[in-house]
Amino acid sequence: LTAIVEQILQGQRRAIARQISQIENNQAEARPVLAELYPHTGQAHLVGITGAPGTGKSTLVNELAKIYRRQSQTVAILSIDPTSPFSGGAILGDRIRMKDLAGDPGVFVRSMATRGSLGGLARAAADAIKVFDAAGFQIILIETVGVGQAEVEVARLAHTVIVVDMPGLGDEVQAIKAGLLEIADIFVINKADRQGADRLEAALNMMLDLGSAASTKPILHHEVLMEVAGPILHGAGENTWRPPIYQTIATTGHGVEAVVKGLAEHRAYLVQDGSLAQRERSRMLFELEQLLKERLLAELMRNLSAAYLTQMLDKVVTRQLDPYTAVDLLLASGQAEDAPQASKGFNNG
Ligand SMILES: Nc1nc2c(ncn2[C@@H]2O[C@H](COP(=O)(O)OP(=O)(O)OP(=O)(O)O)[C@@H](O)[C@H]2O)c(=O)[nH]1
Ligand SMILES: [Mg+2]
């Protein structure tokens, strides 16, 4: 084993931090290390926490971690912020809140922000999770703000998804976006010290009753490989889980013990029902698909001349060529050894 792999498997914090920085910077050295770590992953409970900005996700994560530590479970916390360009270590506010946990070797806190595409962030997060998992952290809490596509990405990374809502976001039925309703395994109504928590709970219950007939988590199965492998993925599980709703006051820790119990119950349900294995297959299939896409595109680009690509783009823009035909031509040009371009390849063109 490589020295750094050994250090990570022993849970050495500096090695973990260095590996995650390499992943973030998309450095080539990260890959062989990840390959050696991979057989040691698959033990942790991966918990996604999402919801609208300011609902109290970070405060809740902090309280969850404190309870797990009291139960002697080790916890890694990954905050993913798709709206912020800042990265590398914790965002200041989170750092202050997490100070209760500072100095505890059983806790590791890390933030990641967008540096490029959301897809790139999701892949970096998936790889960081593998590092924590291999390092032996038993619970991995992944916080992301529920904006746009980000909550779907976190649902793909996690075994259990907590959606955090709060009273006072306006009309109850509007307060929760449809996308968040579909990915929730557990609902938390935080800021229950405010007016309207019971009304929000009633509205959520009503929406769950309406939606229960079609609770197949369709968003997780949209990709191309998913279609091919669909029958395998849908084999197990009747999906009889009804997301429980908990009210919490994260600032005092009130109600958070119940959420920890709910998380253990969901994990047990997934194991006994066979859906944990199903989710693992689904997660890995998605990851394979993302890597295939990246690799195929990179290989194509290596064989394609920049001049030819520009020429095709110009023709599409001026309506001389439709995008489908342009892609046919680009693919043919990228694959054929004797393609009509004089100088090939972005690197030497
Ligand atoms: N009254 C009340 N305030 C709370 C509660 N939980 C969190 N807050 C406050 O709400 C604010 C936002 O909390 P955060 O934990 O940062 O929320 P967040 O969802 O992580 O926010 P983003 O990551 O920015 O989306 C902070 O000022 C918290 O102190 C609660 O249960 N009751
Ligand atoms: Mg937060």
Side-chain angles (χ1 to χ4, degrees):
L1 289 185
T2 322
I4 183 159
V5 173
E6 204 111 48
Q7 290 161 1
I8 291 169
L9 292 178
Q10 287 164 8
Q12 290 188 22
R13 303 177 77 85
R14 280 174 65 198
I16 295 168
R18 194 163 6 114
Q19 178 63 17
I20 291 176
S21 294
Q22 294 212 327
I23 289 167
E24 263 193 316
N25 298 328
N26 202 7
Q27 281 173 6
E29 305 95 89
R31 269 174 54 182
V33 174
L34 283 170
E36 284 193 65
L37 291 176
Y38 190 68
H40 302 275
T41 63
Q43 304 305 312
H45 186 187
L46 312 182
V47 179
I49 297 101
T50 191
T55 44
K57 298 177 292 298
S58 299
T59 315
L60 180 70
V61 161
N62 195 32
E63 291 305 305
L64 288 170
K66 285 203 286 194
I67 292 170
Y68 279 122
R69 291 305 295 137
R70 264 183 251 137
Q71 301 177 350
S72 300
Q73 306 231 56
T74 52
V75 185
I77 299 171
L78 186 65
S79 313
I80 307 174
D81 191 347
T83 63
S84 165
F86 301 108
S87 149
I91 295 153
L92 188 61
D94 285 340
R95 190 174 274 164
I96 291 165
R97 270 194 296 278
M98 298 294 178
K99 74 176 185 296
D100 305 354
L101 303 166
D104 179 348
V107 178
F108 198 107
V109 182
R110 179 76 187 212
S111 294
M112 280 183 161
T114 28
R115 191 181 284 183
S117 67
L118 182 59
L121 181 62
R123 194 172 52 117
D127 286 342
I129 288 164
K130 287 181 202 128
V131 176
F132 291 138
D133 195 343
F137 288 98
Q138 293 162 299
I139 309 286
I140 303 180
L141 303 173
I142 310 147
E143 176 192 345
T144 193
V145 185
V147 288
Q149 183 66 11
E151 66 266 16
V152 177
E153 300 292 340
V154 79
R156 284 197 168 108
L157 292 175
H159 299 131
T160 304
V161 176
I162 300 179
V163 169
V164 183
D165 206 345
M166 67 178 192
L169 284 179
D171 174 26
E172 278 78 26
V173 182
Q174 299 298 315
I176 179 123
K177 293 194 302 167
L180 289 179
L181 197 70
E182 281 162 22
I183 62 169
D185 298 303
I186 291 174
F187 282 104
V188 167
I189 298 175
N190 189 41
K191 308 202 183 182
D193 51 324
R194 292 192 179 178
Q195 289 270 310
D198 290 339
R199 243 182 307 136
L200 179 55
E201 181 169 341
L204 269 177
N205 263 317
M206 197 187 68
M207 285 170 80
L208 285 174
D209 290 340
L210 288 174
S212 59
S215 61
T216 51
K217 307 225 165 198
I219 43 158
L220 299 183
H221 302 287
H222 270 178
E223 302 290 323
V224 179
L225 287 185
M226 293 286 177
E227 306 267 305
V228 179
I232 313 168
L233 294 172
H234 291 292
E238 292 270 300
N239 203 1
T240 52
W241 178 263
R242 188 188 201 275
I245 305 171
Y246 300 102
Q247 293 194 17
T248 61
I249 305 170
T251 38
T252 65
H254 180 86
V256 183
E257 298 262 359
V259 180
V260 169
K261 282 210 192 83
L263 282 167
E265 277 162 22
H266 187 249
R267 172 88 177 177
Y269 163 82
L270 289 178
V271 170
Q272 154 253 295
D273 174 66
S275 0
L276 189 65
Q278 185 186 346
R279 279 188 191 209
E280 280 298 296
R281 278 187 85 74
S282 154
R283 268 170 14 90
M284 292 314 157
L285 186 62
F286 180 72
E287 193 163 340
L288 286 179
E289 175 154 330
Q290 296 306 304
L291 292 176
L292 271 172
K293 275 186 195 165
E294 268 177 42
R295 186 74 70 80
L296 287 173
L297 192 60
E299 265 164 36
L300 180 73
M301 293 307 273
R302 217 174 298 128
N303 296 326
L304 211 59
S305 88
Y308 191 56
L309 182 58
T310 309
Q311 194 187 325
M312 289 295 114
L313 177 61
D314 289 342
K315 286 192 174 168
V316 171
V317 170
T318 56
R319 267 64 185 175
Q320 291 170 265
L321 208 57
D322 72 284
Y324 291 99
T325 311
V327 164
D328 285 342
L329 291 169
L330 286 167
L331 278 176
S333 148
Q335 276 159 9
E337 286 302 309
D338 51 36
Q341 287 77 54
S343 91
K344 294 221 286 176
F346 271 69
N347 294 335
N348 52 27

